[in-house]
Structure formats: structure tokens, C-alpha cells
């Protein structure tokens, strides 16, 4: 079963705009939520991650917002740039786990100049 | 610079062939993973290994097997390739013990089964 649901599947944003990607999870035991970024021809790479003891984490133009009661988290990309065009995956895991992640379906972001 | 390498970027095989996908990491990581990536389905875990000769099934292990004889090398085997195994295959590795240890991915192998 799909334990992490990601939307939208694709997103087109103008340069300078805000990109927002949403994820919802089912398992309340999840307590680690990373986002991975994948450029064409490359493997995914860790972008930013959050644990549920905080509601927001910001790194540069990238922010994760976390809503524990709604079991949702989202990635916001401020001042989106053409270089941000990539596929983004949210994921979830139990912190005490062996390192296995459950990934969302992915969002392909295109930032138009 | 940390590195996960995969033996082939592109591979074309015939239905029924035995296929080997090789992955090597140079970070002395305990954990290694094989995923397949399909549009709209994200990354789905096929198999996971947490130590040499140790393996655990992921979400979609049917039709696949794995081998880990050395710490740095993790192989994915398709015993009898089928057209529905046409996909992008990604290998990853991470250090052990904690879920927040970053997974480092290889560039992927795009496998086409005719």
C-alpha cells in the first residue's frame, strides 16, 4: 500500500515564484521526513529533512512545513529558479528504523525563465 | 567525494535472460538498497541489505534476487527478465543505525527488456 502520497505529479512555476509540493502519510509511527531532489540523468540527493518536534525547517530558499495532527508535510521553494527544475521526492521513516525510507510518487518541477 | 557507482547506465536485454545489475559504494556503508523508479510510482524498494550476506525484502521483491558478498558491492539479479521489469534501477547506500543517515544514490541503470 502507498503510505506516503505526494502531489502534484507535475508543477510549472514562473521564475521568482513559490513552488509548493505536498505530502501526506498514514503511519503515525513515522518520525523522520526527508526531501530528495533528482536532476535528469542523476540519482536523487538529500535536499532537506525534518523531524516532527518542529513545525518548520528552513535552509536557504527551501522550507519544510510540518503538520503532525494532519499527518502532512510540504516543501516550499521560494524565489524559484530555472536551476531548481528537477524531480522532488518526499519520504518518511521511523527514526529507529534501519534507514529504510518510504518515498512518495515524485513531483516534476519546471521553473520557466 | 562519496560515490555510488552502477555498472551500466543503459542496458537492453531479451525476455527470459538473466540480468545482473552491479552497485559499488566507496563509503564503507553498512546499508545498501535497490529501488526501481517508474513515473507516477516514485521510488519503490526492491531489496535492502544491512550487512554482508544479509538481506531483507522490500515492497516489490517478486522476480528479483540480490547478492552481497562484500561490504562495498550489492548486486541485483533478474533471474528471468520480463517486459514489466523495464524500468530505471537505482542503488543507494547509507551508514547504519539511524533513519536520518542520508542515503547516497548512484546515477541509475535504465533497463529495457524486449
Amino acid at each position: 500500500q502507498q503510505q506516503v502520497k505526494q502531489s502534484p505529479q507535475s508543477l510549472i512555476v514562473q521564475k521568482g515564484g513559490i513552488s509548493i509540493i505536498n505530502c501526506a502519510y498514514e503511519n503515525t509511527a513515522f518520525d523522520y521526513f526527508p526531501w530528495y531532489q533528482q536532476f535528469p540523468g542523476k540519482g536523487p540527493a538529500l535536499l532537506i529533512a525534518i523531524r516532527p518536534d518542529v513545525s518548520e525547517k528552513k535552509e536557504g530558499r527551501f522550507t519544510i512545513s510540518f503538520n503532525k495532527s494532519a499527518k502532512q508535510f510540504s516543501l516550499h521553494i521560494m524565489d524559484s529558479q530555472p536551476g531548481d527544475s528537477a524531480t522532488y521526492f518526499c519520504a518518511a521513516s521511523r527514526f529507529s528504523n534501519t534507514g529504510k525510507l518510504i518515498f512518495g510518487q515524485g513531483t516534476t518541477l519546471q521553473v520557466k525563465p | 567525494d562519496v560515490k555510488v557507482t552502477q555498472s551500466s547506465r543503459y542496458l537492453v536485454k531479451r525476455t527470459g535472460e538473466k540480468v545482473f545489475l552491479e552497485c559499488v559504494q566507496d563509503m564503507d556503508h553498512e546499508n545498501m538498497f535497490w529501488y526501481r523508479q517508474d513515473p507516477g510510482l516514485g521510488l519503490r524498494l526492491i531489496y535492502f541489505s544491512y550487512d554482508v550476506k544479509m538481506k531483507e525484502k522490500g515492497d516489490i521483491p517478486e522476480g528479483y534476487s540480490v547478492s552481497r558478498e562484500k561490504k562495498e558491492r550489492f548486486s541485483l539479479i533478474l533471474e528471468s527478465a520480463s517486459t514489466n521489469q523495464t524500468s530505471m534501477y537505482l542503488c543507494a547506500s547509507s551508514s547504519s543505525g539511524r533513519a536520518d543517515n542520508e542515503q547516497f544514490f548512484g546515477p541509475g541503470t535504465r533497463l529495457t527488456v524486449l
Side-chain angles (χ1 to χ4, degrees), chain A residues 3-81:
Chain A
Q3 297 188 55
V4 179
K5 293 184 178 179
Q6 182 173 346
S7 63
Q9 187 168 348
S10 64
L11 183 61
I12 299 175
V13 172
Q14 291 295 126
K15 179 182 175 181
I18 302 173
S19 305
I20 301 174
I21 305 170
N22 300 299
C23 284
Y25 62 97
E26 300 168 3
N27 190 339
T28 54
F30 289 154
D31 54 9
Y32 173 65
F33 304 91
W35 286 87
Y36 280 75
Q37 179 188 52
Q38 182 183 31
F39 292 108
K42 305 285 187 183
L46 179 65
L47 178 65
I48 187 173
I50 196 169
R51 294 203 65 211
D53 50 349
V54 295
S55 60
E56 186 175 283
K57 183 173 182 180
K58 184 175 181 179
E59 290 185 2
R61 297 183 293 107
F62 299 89
T63 300
I64 301 178
S65 298
F66 186 81
N67 185 330
K68 189 173 182 178
S69 61
K71 294 187 287 184
Q72 294 175 348
F73 58 110
S74 59
L75 177 69
H76 295 238
I77 306 174
M78 311 300 288
D79 186 26
S80 298
Q81 299 296 313

Coordinates of all heavy atoms in Angstrom, one line a residue, chain A residues 3-81:
Chain A
Q3 N 2.0 4.4 1.4 CA 2.0 5.0 2.8 C 2.3 6.5 2.8 O 2.1 7.2 3.7 CB 2.9 4.3 3.7 CG 2.5 2.8 3.9 CD 3.4 2.2 5.0 OE1 3.5 2.7 6.1 NE2 4.1 1.1 4.7
V4 N 2.9 7.0 1.7 CA 3.2 8.4 1.5 C 2.6 8.8 0.2 O 3.0 8.3 -0.9 CB 4.7 8.7 1.6 CG1 5.0 10.1 1.4 CG2 5.3 8.2 2.9
K5 N 1.7 9.8 0.2 CA 1.1 10.3 -1.0 C 1.6 11.7 -1.3 O 1.5 12.6 -0.4 CB -0.4 10.2 -0.9 CG -1.0 8.8 -0.8 CD -2.5 8.8 -0.7 CE -3.0 7.4 -0.7 NZ -4.5 7.3 -0.6
Q6 N 2.0 11.9 -2.5 CA 2.6 13.2 -2.9 C 1.8 13.8 -4.0 O 1.4 13.1 -4.9 CB 4.1 12.9 -3.3 CG 4.9 14.1 -3.7 CD 6.3 13.8 -4.0 OE1 6.8 12.8 -3.7 NE2 7.0 14.8 -4.6
S7 N 1.7 15.1 -4.0 CA 1.0 15.9 -5.0 C 1.6 17.3 -5.1 O 2.1 17.8 -4.2 CB -0.5 15.9 -4.7 OG -0.7 16.7 -3.5
P8 N 1.5 17.9 -6.3 CA 1.0 17.3 -7.6 C 2.1 16.4 -8.2 O 3.2 16.4 -7.8 CB 0.8 18.6 -8.4 CG 1.8 19.5 -7.9 CD 2.0 19.3 -6.5
Q9 N 1.7 15.8 -9.3 CA 2.7 14.9 -10.0 C 3.6 15.8 -10.8 O 4.8 15.5 -11.0 CB 1.9 14.0 -10.9 CG 2.9 12.9 -11.6 CD 2.1 11.8 -12.2 OE1 0.9 11.6 -12.0 NE2 2.8 11.0 -13.0
S10 N 3.1 16.9 -11.3 CA 3.9 17.9 -12.0 C 3.5 19.3 -11.7 O 2.4 19.6 -11.3 CB 3.9 17.6 -13.6 OG 2.6 17.9 -14.0
L11 N 4.5 20.2 -11.9 CA 4.3 21.6 -11.5 C 5.1 22.5 -12.3 O 6.3 22.2 -12.6 CB 4.7 21.7 -10.0 CG 4.6 23.1 -9.3 CD1 3.1 23.4 -9.2 CD2 5.1 22.9 -7.9
I12 N 4.4 23.6 -12.8 CA 5.1 24.6 -13.6 C 5.0 25.9 -12.9 O 3.9 26.3 -12.6 CB 4.6 24.7 -15.1 CG1 4.7 23.3 -15.8 CG2 5.3 25.8 -15.9 CD1 4.1 23.3 -17.2
V13 N 6.2 26.5 -12.7 CA 6.2 27.8 -11.9 C 7.0 28.8 -12.7 O 8.0 28.4 -13.3 CB 6.8 27.5 -10.5 CG1 7.0 28.8 -9.8 CG2 5.8 26.6 -9.7
Q14 N 6.7 30.0 -12.6 CA 7.5 31.1 -13.2 C 8.7 31.4 -12.3 O 8.6 31.3 -11.1 CB 6.7 32.3 -13.5 CG 5.6 32.2 -14.6 CD 6.2 32.0 -16.0 OE1 5.9 31.1 -16.7 NE2 7.1 32.9 -16.3
K15 N 9.8 31.8 -13.0 CA 10.9 32.2 -12.2 C 10.5 33.3 -11.2 O 9.8 34.2 -11.5 CB 12.0 32.8 -13.2 CG 13.3 33.3 -12.5 CD 14.2 33.9 -13.5 CE 15.4 34.5 -12.8 NZ 16.4 35.1 -13.8
G16 N 11.0 33.1 -10.0 CA 10.7 34.1 -8.9 C 9.5 33.7 -8.1 O 9.2 34.3 -7.0
G17 N 8.7 32.7 -8.6 CA 7.5 32.3 -7.9 C 7.8 31.3 -6.8 O 8.9 30.9 -6.5
I18 N 6.7 30.9 -6.1 CA 6.8 29.9 -5.0 C 6.3 28.6 -5.5 O 5.2 28.5 -6.0 CB 6.0 30.4 -3.8 CG1 6.5 31.7 -3.3 CG2 6.2 29.3 -2.6 CD1 5.6 32.3 -2.2
S19 N 7.2 27.6 -5.3 CA 6.8 26.2 -5.6 C 6.4 25.5 -4.3 O 7.1 25.6 -3.3 CB 7.9 25.4 -6.3 OG 8.4 26.1 -7.4
I20 N 5.2 24.8 -4.4 CA 4.8 24.1 -3.2 C 4.4 22.6 -3.6 O 3.6 22.4 -4.5 CB 3.5 24.8 -2.6 CG1 3.8 26.2 -2.2 CG2 3.0 24.0 -1.4 CD1 2.6 27.0 -1.7
I21 N 5.0 21.7 -2.9 CA 4.8 20.3 -3.1 C 4.3 19.7 -1.7 O 4.9 20.0 -0.7 CB 6.0 19.6 -3.6 CG1 6.6 20.2 -4.8 CG2 5.7 18.1 -3.8 CD1 8.0 19.7 -5.2
N22 N 3.2 18.9 -1.8 CA 2.6 18.4 -0.6 C 2.7 16.9 -0.5 O 2.7 16.2 -1.5 CB 1.1 18.8 -0.6 CG 0.9 20.3 -0.6 OD1 1.3 21.0 0.2 ND2 0.3 20.7 -1.7
C23 N 2.8 16.5 0.8 CA 2.9 15.0 1.1 C 2.0 14.7 2.3 O 1.9 15.5 3.2 CB 4.3 14.5 1.3 SG 5.2 14.4 -0.2
A24 N 1.4 13.5 2.2 CA 0.6 13.1 3.4 C 1.0 11.7 3.7 O 1.3 10.9 2.8 CB -0.9 13.1 3.0
Y25 N 1.0 11.3 5.0 CA 1.4 10.0 5.4 C 0.3 9.4 6.2 O -0.5 10.1 6.8 CB 2.8 10.0 6.1 CG 2.8 10.8 7.4 CD1 2.7 10.2 8.6 CD2 3.0 12.2 7.3 CE1 2.7 10.9 9.8 CE2 3.0 12.9 8.5 CZ 2.9 12.3 9.7 OH 2.9 13.0 10.9
E26 N 0.4 8.1 6.4 CA -0.6 7.3 7.1 C -0.1 6.8 8.5 O -0.8 6.8 9.4 CB -1.1 6.2 6.3 CG -1.7 6.6 4.9 CD -1.9 5.4 4.0 OE1 -1.7 4.3 4.4 OE2 -2.4 5.7 2.8
N27 N 1.1 6.4 8.5 CA 1.7 5.7 9.7 C 2.1 6.7 10.7 O 3.1 7.5 10.5 CB 2.8 4.8 9.2 CG 3.3 3.9 10.3 OD1 3.0 4.1 11.5 ND2 4.0 2.9 10.0
T28 N 1.4 6.8 11.8 CA 1.8 7.8 12.9 C 3.1 7.4 13.6 O 3.6 8.3 14.3 CB 0.6 7.8 13.9 OG1 0.4 6.5 14.4 CG2 -0.6 8.4 13.3
A29 N 3.7 6.3 13.3 CA 5.0 6.0 13.8 C 6.1 6.6 13.1 O 7.3 6.7 13.5 CB 5.2 4.4 13.9
F30 N 5.8 7.2 11.9 CA 6.9 7.8 11.1 C 7.3 9.1 11.9 O 6.5 9.8 12.4 CB 6.4 8.3 9.8 CG 6.1 7.2 8.8 CD1 5.2 7.3 7.8 CD2 6.9 6.0 8.9 CE1 5.0 6.3 6.8 CE2 6.6 5.0 8.0 CZ 5.7 5.1 6.9
D31 N 8.7 9.3 12.0 CA 9.1 10.4 12.7 C 10.4 11.1 12.1 O 11.2 11.7 12.7 CB 9.4 10.1 14.2 CG 10.3 8.9 14.3 OD1 10.9 8.4 13.3 OD2 10.5 8.4 15.4
Y32 N 10.6 10.8 10.8 CA 11.7 11.4 10.1 C 11.2 11.6 8.6 O 10.7 10.7 8.0 CB 12.9 10.6 10.1 CG 14.1 11.0 9.2 CD1 14.7 12.2 9.5 CD2 14.5 10.3 8.1 CE1 15.7 12.7 8.7 CE2 15.5 10.7 7.3 CZ 16.1 11.9 7.6 OH 17.1 12.3 6.8
F33 N 11.3 12.9 8.1 CA 10.7 13.2 6.8 C 11.7 14.0 6.0 O 11.8 15.2 6.1 CB 9.4 14.0 7.1 CG 8.4 13.3 8.0 CD1 8.4 13.5 9.3 CD2 7.5 12.5 7.4 CE1 7.5 12.9 10.2 CE2 6.6 11.8 8.2 CZ 6.6 12.0 9.6
P34 N 12.4 13.3 5.1 CA 13.3 14.0 4.2 C 12.7 14.3 2.9 O 11.7 13.7 2.4 CB 14.5 13.0 4.1 CG 13.8 11.6 4.2 CD 12.6 11.8 5.1
W35 N 13.3 15.2 2.2 CA 13.0 15.5 0.8 C 14.3 15.3 0.0 O 15.4 15.7 0.4 CB 12.6 17.0 0.6 CG 11.2 17.2 1.1 CD1 10.8 17.6 2.3 CD2 10.0 17.2 0.3 NE1 9.5 17.7 2.4 CE2 8.9 17.5 1.2 CE3 9.7 16.9 -1.0 CZ2 7.6 17.5 0.7 CZ3 8.4 16.9 -1.5 CH2 7.4 17.3 -0.6
Y36 N 14.1 14.6 -1.2 CA 15.2 14.3 -2.1 C 15.0 15.0 -3.4 O 13.8 15.2 -3.8 CB 15.4 12.8 -2.3 CG 16.2 12.1 -1.2 CD1 15.6 11.9 0.0 CD2 17.5 11.7 -1.4 CE1 16.3 11.2 1.0 CE2 18.2 11.1 -0.4 CZ 17.6 10.8 0.8 OH 18.3 10.2 1.8
Q37 N 16.0 15.5 -4.0 CA 16.0 16.2 -5.3 C 16.7 15.4 -6.4 O 17.9 15.0 -6.1 CB 16.6 17.6 -5.1 CG 16.7 18.5 -6.3 CD 17.5 19.8 -6.0 OE1 18.7 19.7 -5.6 NE2 17.0 20.9 -6.3
Q38 N 16.1 15.3 -7.5 CA 16.8 14.5 -8.6 C 16.8 15.3 -9.9 O 15.8 15.6 -10.4 CB 16.0 13.2 -8.8 CG 16.7 12.3 -9.8 CD 15.9 11.0 -10.1 OE1 14.7 11.0 -10.0 NE2 16.6 9.9 -10.4
F39 N 18.0 15.5 -10.4 CA 18.2 16.2 -11.7 C 18.2 15.1 -12.7 O 18.6 14.0 -12.5 CB 19.4 17.0 -11.7 CG 19.4 18.2 -10.8 CD1 20.1 18.3 -9.6 CD2 18.5 19.3 -11.1 CE1 20.0 19.4 -8.8 CE2 18.4 20.4 -10.3 CZ 19.2 20.5 -9.1
P40 N 17.9 15.5 -14.0 CA 17.9 14.5 -15.1 C 19.2 13.8 -15.2 O 20.3 14.4 -15.2 CB 17.5 15.3 -16.3 CG 16.7 16.4 -15.8 CD 17.3 16.8 -14.4
G41 N 19.2 12.5 -15.3 CA 20.4 11.7 -15.5 C 21.2 11.5 -14.2 O 22.3 10.9 -14.3
K42 N 20.7 11.9 -13.1 CA 21.4 11.8 -11.8 C 20.5 11.0 -10.8 O 19.3 10.9 -11.0 CB 21.7 13.1 -11.2 CG 22.5 14.1 -12.1 CD 23.9 13.7 -12.2 CE 24.7 14.7 -12.9 NZ 26.2 14.3 -13.0
G43 N 21.1 10.4 -9.8 CA 20.4 9.8 -8.7 C 19.9 10.9 -7.8 O 20.4 12.0 -7.8
P44 N 18.8 10.6 -7.0 CA 18.3 11.6 -6.0 C 19.4 11.9 -5.0 O 20.3 11.1 -4.7 CB 17.1 10.8 -5.4 CG 16.8 9.8 -6.3 CD 18.0 9.4 -7.0
A45 N 19.3 13.1 -4.4 CA 20.2 13.6 -3.4 C 19.4 14.3 -2.3 O 18.4 15.0 -2.6 CB 21.3 14.5 -4.0
L46 N 19.8 14.1 -1.1 CA 19.1 14.7 0.1 C 19.1 16.2 0.0 O 20.2 16.8 -0.2 CB 19.7 14.2 1.4 CG 19.1 14.8 2.6 CD1 17.7 14.3 2.8 CD2 19.9 14.4 3.9
L47 N 17.9 16.8 0.1 CA 17.8 18.3 0.0 C 17.7 18.9 1.4 O 18.4 19.8 1.8 CB 16.6 18.6 -0.9 CG 16.3 20.1 -1.1 CD1 17.4 20.8 -1.8 CD2 14.9 20.2 -1.8
I48 N 16.7 18.4 2.1 CA 16.4 18.9 3.4 C 15.5 17.9 4.2 O 14.8 17.1 3.5 CB 15.6 20.3 3.3 CG1 15.4 21.0 4.6 CG2 14.3 20.1 2.5 CD1 14.8 22.4 4.5
A49 N 15.5 17.9 5.5 CA 14.8 16.9 6.3 C 14.3 17.5 7.5 O 14.8 18.5 8.0 CB 15.6 15.7 6.6
I50 N 13.2 16.9 8.1 CA 12.6 17.5 9.3 C 12.2 16.3 10.2 O 11.9 15.2 9.7 CB 11.4 18.4 9.0 CG1 11.0 19.2 10.2 CG2 10.2 17.6 8.5 CD1 10.0 20.4 9.9
R51 N 12.2 16.5 11.5 CA 11.6 15.6 12.5 C 10.4 16.3 13.1 O 10.4 17.6 13.1 CB 12.6 15.2 13.6 CG 13.8 14.4 13.0 CD 14.5 13.6 14.1 NE 13.6 12.6 14.6 CZ 13.6 12.2 15.9 NH1 14.5 12.6 16.7 NH2 12.8 11.3 16.3
P52 N 9.4 15.6 13.6 CA 8.1 16.2 14.0 C 8.2 17.0 15.3 O 7.1 17.5 15.7 CB 7.2 15.0 14.1 CG 8.1 13.8 14.3 CD 9.4 14.1 13.6
D53 N 9.3 17.2 15.9 CA 9.4 18.0 17.1 C 9.4 19.5 16.7 O 9.3 20.3 17.6 CB 10.6 17.6 18.0 CG 11.9 17.5 17.2 OD1 11.9 17.6 16.0 OD2 12.9 17.4 17.9
V54 N 9.6 19.8 15.4 CA 9.5 21.2 15.0 C 8.4 21.3 13.9 O 8.2 20.3 13.2 CB 10.8 21.7 14.5 CG1 11.8 21.8 15.6 CG2 11.3 20.9 13.3
S55 N 7.8 22.4 13.7 CA 6.8 22.6 12.7 C 7.3 23.2 11.4 O 6.7 23.1 10.3 CB 5.7 23.5 13.2 OG 6.2 24.8 13.5
E56 N 8.6 23.6 11.4 CA 9.1 24.2 10.2 C 10.7 24.1 10.2 O 11.3 24.3 11.3 CB 8.7 25.7 10.0 CG 9.1 26.4 8.8 CD 8.5 27.8 8.6 OE1 7.4 27.9 8.3 OE2 9.3 28.7 8.9
K57 N 11.2 23.9 9.0 CA 12.7 23.9 8.9 C 13.0 24.7 7.6 O 12.5 24.3 6.6 CB 13.3 22.5 8.9 CG 14.8 22.5 8.9 CD 15.4 21.2 9.1 CE 16.9 21.2 9.1 NZ 17.4 19.8 9.3
K58 N 14.0 25.6 7.7 CA 14.3 26.4 6.6 C 15.8 26.3 6.3 O 16.6 26.4 7.2 CB 14.0 27.9 6.8 CG 14.2 28.8 5.7 CD 13.7 30.2 6.0 CE 13.9 31.1 4.8 NZ 13.4 32.5 5.1
E59 N 16.1 26.1 5.0 CA 17.5 26.1 4.6 C 17.6 26.8 3.3 O 17.2 26.3 2.2 CB 18.1 24.6 4.4 CG 18.2 23.9 5.7 CD 18.9 22.5 5.5 OE1 19.2 22.1 4.3 OE2 19.0 21.8 6.5
G60 N 18.0 28.1 3.4 CA 18.1 28.9 2.2 C 16.7 29.2 1.6 O 15.8 29.6 2.4
R61 N 16.5 28.9 0.4 CA 15.2 29.1 -0.2 C 14.2 28.0 0.0 O 13.0 28.0 -0.4 CB 15.3 29.4 -1.7 CG 16.2 30.6 -2.1 CD 16.2 30.9 -3.6 NE 17.0 29.9 -4.3 CZ 16.5 28.9 -5.0 NH1 15.2 28.9 -5.2 NH2 17.3 28.1 -5.6
F62 N 14.7 26.9 0.6 CA 13.8 25.7 0.8 C 13.3 25.6 2.2 O 14.1 25.7 3.2 CB 14.7 24.5 0.5 CG 15.2 24.4 -1.0 CD1 16.4 25.0 -1.3 CD2 14.4 23.8 -2.0 CE1 16.8 25.0 -2.6 CE2 14.9 23.8 -3.3 CZ 16.1 24.4 -3.6
T63 N 12.0 25.4 2.4 CA 11.4 25.3 3.7 C 10.5 24.1 3.7 O 9.7 23.8 2.8 CB 10.6 26.5 4.0 OG1 11.4 27.7 4.0 CG2 9.9 26.4 5.4
I64 N 10.6 23.3 4.8 CA 9.6 22.2 5.1 C 8.7 22.7 6.1 O 9.1 23.2 7.2 CB 10.3 20.9 5.6 CG1 11.3 20.4 4.6 CG2 9.2 19.9 5.8 CD1 12.0 19.1 5.1
S65 N 7.4 22.6 5.8 CA 6.4 22.8 6.8 C 5.7 21.5 7.3 O 5.5 20.7 6.4 CB 5.3 23.8 6.3 OG 5.8 25.0 5.9
F66 N 5.6 21.3 8.5 CA 5.1 20.0 9.0 C 3.9 20.2 9.9 O 3.8 21.0 10.8 CB 6.2 19.4 9.9 CG 5.9 18.0 10.3 CD1 6.0 16.9 9.4 CD2 5.4 17.7 11.6 CE1 5.7 15.6 9.8 CE2 5.1 16.4 12.0 CZ 5.3 15.4 11.1
N67 N 2.8 19.4 9.6 CA 1.6 19.5 10.4 C 1.3 18.1 10.9 O 0.8 17.2 10.2 CB 0.4 20.0 9.5 CG -0.9 20.1 10.3 OD1 -1.1 19.4 11.3 ND2 -1.7 21.1 9.9
K68 N 1.7 17.8 12.2 CA 1.6 16.5 12.8 C 0.2 16.0 12.9 O -0.1 14.9 12.6 CB 2.3 16.5 14.1 CG 2.5 15.1 14.7 CD 3.3 15.1 16.0 CE 3.5 13.8 16.6 NZ 4.3 13.8 17.8
S69 N -0.7 16.9 13.3 CA -2.1 16.5 13.5 C -2.8 16.1 12.2 O -3.6 15.2 12.1 CB -2.9 17.6 14.2 OG -2.9 18.7 13.4
A70 N -2.4 16.8 11.1 CA -3.0 16.4 9.8 C -2.2 15.4 9.1 O -2.6 14.9 8.0 CB -3.0 17.7 8.9
K71 N -1.1 15.0 9.6 CA -0.2 14.0 9.0 C 0.2 14.4 7.6 O 0.1 13.7 6.6 CB -0.8 12.6 9.0 CG -0.9 12.0 10.4 CD -1.4 10.6 10.4 CE -2.8 10.4 10.1 NZ -3.3 9.0 10.2
Q72 N 0.6 15.7 7.5 CA 1.0 16.3 6.2 C 2.3 17.1 6.4 O 2.6 17.6 7.5 CB -0.1 17.2 5.7 CG -1.4 16.4 5.3 CD -2.5 17.4 4.9 OE1 -2.4 18.6 5.1 NE2 -3.6 16.8 4.4
F73 N 3.1 17.1 5.3 CA 4.2 18.0 5.3 C 4.4 18.5 3.9 O 4.0 17.8 2.9 CB 5.5 17.3 5.9 CG 5.9 16.0 5.2 CD1 7.0 16.0 4.4 CD2 5.2 14.9 5.3 CE1 7.5 14.8 3.8 CE2 5.6 13.7 4.7 CZ 6.7 13.7 3.9
S74 N 5.0 19.6 3.7 CA 5.2 20.2 2.4 C 6.5 20.9 2.2 O 7.2 21.3 3.2 CB 4.1 21.2 2.2 OG 4.1 22.3 3.1
L75 N 6.9 21.0 1.0 CA 8.2 21.6 0.6 C 7.8 22.9 -0.1 O 7.0 22.9 -1.0 CB 9.0 20.8 -0.3 CG 10.3 21.4 -0.8 CD1 11.3 21.5 0.3 CD2 10.9 20.5 -2.0
H76 N 8.4 24.0 0.4 CA 8.2 25.3 -0.3 C 9.5 25.8 -0.8 O 10.5 25.8 -0.1 CB 7.7 26.4 0.7 CG 6.3 26.1 1.3 ND1 5.3 26.9 1.2 CD2 5.8 25.0 1.9 CE1 4.2 26.4 1.8 NE2 4.5 25.2 2.2
I77 N 9.5 26.1 -2.1 CA 10.7 26.7 -2.7 C 10.4 28.2 -3.0 O 9.6 28.5 -3.9 CB 11.1 25.9 -4.0 CG1 11.3 24.4 -3.7 CG2 12.4 26.5 -4.5 CD1 11.5 23.6 -4.9
M78 N 11.1 29.0 -2.3 CA 10.9 30.5 -2.5 C 11.7 31.0 -3.7 O 12.8 30.4 -3.9 CB 11.2 31.2 -1.2 CG 10.6 30.7 0.0 SD 8.8 30.7 0.0 CE 8.5 32.4 0.1
D79 N 11.3 32.0 -4.3 CA 12.1 32.6 -5.4 C 12.6 31.5 -6.3 O 13.8 31.4 -6.6 CB 13.2 33.4 -4.8 CG 14.0 34.2 -5.9 OD1 13.4 34.5 -6.9 OD2 15.2 34.5 -5.6
S80 N 11.7 30.7 -6.8 CA 12.1 29.5 -7.7 C 12.9 30.0 -8.9 O 12.6 31.0 -9.5 CB 10.8 28.8 -8.1 OG 10.1 28.3 -7.0
Q81 N 13.9 29.2 -9.2 CA 14.9 29.5 -10.3 C 14.9 28.3 -11.3 O 14.6 27.2 -10.9 CB 16.3 29.6 -9.7 CG 16.4 30.8 -8.7 CD 16.2 32.1 -9.4 OE1 16.7 32.4 -10.5 NE2 15.3 32.9 -8.7

